[in-house]
Amino acid sequence: RLQHPGIAQIYHAGTEGAAPRRRPYFAMELVHGEPLLAYAESRRLGTRDRVALFIRVCDAVQHAHIKGVIHRDLKPANVIVSPDGQPKVLDFGVARLTDSDIRATVQTDAGQIVGTVPYMSPEQIAGDPQDLDTRSDVYALGVVLYELLAGRLPYDLERKSIVEAARLIREQPPVRLSAVSRPLRGDLDVIVGKALEKDKHRRYQSAAELGADLTSYLRREPISARPPSAVYQLRKFASRHRALVAAAGVVFVVLVGALVGVLHQRNLARKHDARATALNSFFMGMLGAANPEKRHGKEMTVKEMLDEAAADLAKKPSGDPEVDEEIRVTLGVTYRQLGALDKAEPLLRDAARRAEAALGPDDEITLEALTTLALSLTDRGQTDQAGPLLERVYQARLRTSGERNTSTLSAMNNWSRWLDANGRQDEGLALMERAVKIRTSLLGPDDRKTLISVDNLGTILMRHGRPEDAEMYMRRANEGFRRTLGEDDPDTCASYQNLAELMRKLRRYPEA
């Protein structure tokens, strides 16, 4: 019933031999790779790449849930990552079905614990099979994510008996992710905390919901999860410490201490919300300016809308550098995409300068501003100015995020293209070959970005006088684009154009 690229496929099942020696068997997909934690460590994946990898695990588990199957033993050892970066969930050996045919297939006795203790939800370790649903797997996903990010489990269960371990999982709060590593504070802390809620009604209600919030985190968008309310946290504390709460003086101290923690979390959430609100308000105002009623029926072009928005930002900045510079970068990117390079360049220069001063030279917004500025300069033929910027971005990405990072790979792709086009062909070729190899491993052979690097490698090889190799890579890219994106996608069209140019150079004119 489970057919998903993230789940090891069962091809066939049956019995062998004659009664009374008949034996059941199944034939299963052979999966090469490393367990999830080993894969992340061996490739030195950064936090964002670990989150991106884990989202694919959530997608696979969601597929199983849609098909009515709860895994019940999700743990890092049961997720193997293939060399091309595709996680595969294995071992549905203790899985159970959620629908009516459970009675005919699995009968787990009450009080029987099935699974691996550190990854069990509170309701699972209680041993009541009737209390289990897909949210138990969501809890296990939360434990796996915690371990993937923090390098340890949320509970110290070393040398604990099953009874003591069960009590800790059911009653004690897990060590917060932010207490293990300060860089993991904020949205990731909140997301993991919600996945590990003891009350399954307060947990993410599906693996898809967990994956969606992690995707929002990667996109720097608001997440749906919020820190638990002060009332909820204090009520949980009281239920765990009844004797302590009986003493009024101690209650007061507890209330004050808990309130300070809650207010800190609330301030983090408010800061996130304020930033999202400011961005939303600016861009909604920008769209509202195009209202024909406000303009006496006169239509407004996109460029005019951008001009007004840039002027408004110059007059009335929000005062938050993250908000203001992100808006400037967004406007600059849009100007460039419209071909208004004379408008894009000064805006992006200003954004890069301001972001570097306020947020630092390696901040995401600073590097994005520098990247788009360099690409705009390249579009204008000012490659001598673009080169140092592209190299600076690549080195910064490499230093802060490592080589196996999607942003680093984009910077590597841009820098290698500049090298090839500016008399440093051997360096450009070597770097693009590296980009293709890592993107194929990290993202898969059919990912859009992998295919872009493959196509770029083909064009570099064409300039190197290696037409046979160039054709092999260009056709691989073209076939991948057509298969995954369709004939009308701009990247498919660009790959056709590159192939046509190669055919023209080879004097295969009809084919060109």
Side-chain angles (χ1 to χ4, degrees), residues 113-148:
I113 296 177
V114 180
T116 306
V117 171
Y119 303 92
M120 285 185 180
S121 65
E123 63 271 19
Q124 184 177 4
I125 206 163
D128 181 0
Q130 300 308 314
D131 199 28
L132 283 185
D133 58 32
T134 55
R135 290 170 292 186
S136 291
D137 276 353
V138 172
Y139 181 93
L141 285 172
V143 179
V144 174
L145 177 58
Y146 188 112
E147 192 172 9
L148 181 63

Side-chain angles (χ1 to χ4, degrees), residues 136-323:
S136 291
D137 276 353
V138 172
Y139 181 93
L141 285 172
V143 179
V144 174
L145 177 58
Y146 188 112
E147 192 172 9
L148 181 63
L149 296 174
R152 54 157 288 177
L153 290 164
Y155 298 97
D156 180 10
L157 302 181
E158 285 289 325
R159 301 185 183 86
K160 298 287 193 303
S161 67
I162 293 243
V163 173
E164 178 65 10
R167 188 190 66 77
L168 285 172
I169 290 171
R170 294 179 66 186
E171 298 179 7
Q172 292 297 312
V175 177
R176 291 193 67 90
L177 198 61
S178 56
V180 178
S181 173
R182 284 186 58 79
L184 298 177
R185 65 190 185 277
D187 283 350
L188 276 181
D189 195 16
V190 174
I191 290 169
V192 172
K194 182 167 182 176
L196 294 178
E197 279 282 359
K198 297 188 186 303
D199 181 352
K200 63 184 180 181
H201 299 288
R202 295 183 58 83
R203 239 174 259 158
Y204 288 104
Q205 298 300 288
S206 68
E209 278 189 21
L210 172 57
D213 254 5
L214 289 169
T215 300
S216 295
Y217 161 77
L218 289 182
R219 293 175 177 172
R220 296 173 174 263
E221 296 172 351
I223 60 172
S224 66
R226 286 292 175 265
S229 69
V231 172
Y232 175 77
Q233 289 202 26
L234 293 173
R235 188 171 67 243
K236 295 299 288 184
F237 183 91
S239 69
R240 291 195 306 270
H241 303 284
R242 290 184 179 87
L244 201 61
V245 171
V250 176
V251 170
F252 179 75
V253 173
V254 169
L255 286 172
V256 172
L259 188 58
V260 169
V262 170
L263 288 174
H264 174 66
Q265 289 297 323
R266 185 174 294 171
N267 286 338
L268 287 177
R270 281 177 177 168
K271 183 179 179 183
H272 192 292
D273 284 347
R275 181 171 167 238
T277 300
L279 287 168
N280 185 60
S281 176
F282 181 86
F283 287 113
M284 289 305 292
M286 174 177 158
L287 293 173
N291 188 338
E293 292 182 5
K294 294 182 179 180
R295 302 179 63 82
H296 307 291
K298 180 185 175 185
E299 291 188 356
M300 189 181 198
T301 67
V302 176
K303 285 183 182 178
E304 288 172 337
M305 191 188 305
L306 292 173
D307 291 343
E308 285 200 12
D312 286 345
L313 181 61
K315 291 176 190 173
K316 297 179 290 184
S318 72
D320 183 337
E322 275 195 89
V323 171

Side-chain angles (χ1 to χ4, degrees), residues 55-75:
I55 289 170
R56 301 173 79 176
V57 178
C58 291
D59 186 53
V61 174
Q62 178 67 15
H63 172 80
H65 290 173
I66 288 172
K67 292 291 186 178
V69 179
I70 312 169
H71 190 288
R72 293 205 299 171
D73 195 22
L74 289 168
K75 54 188 176 184

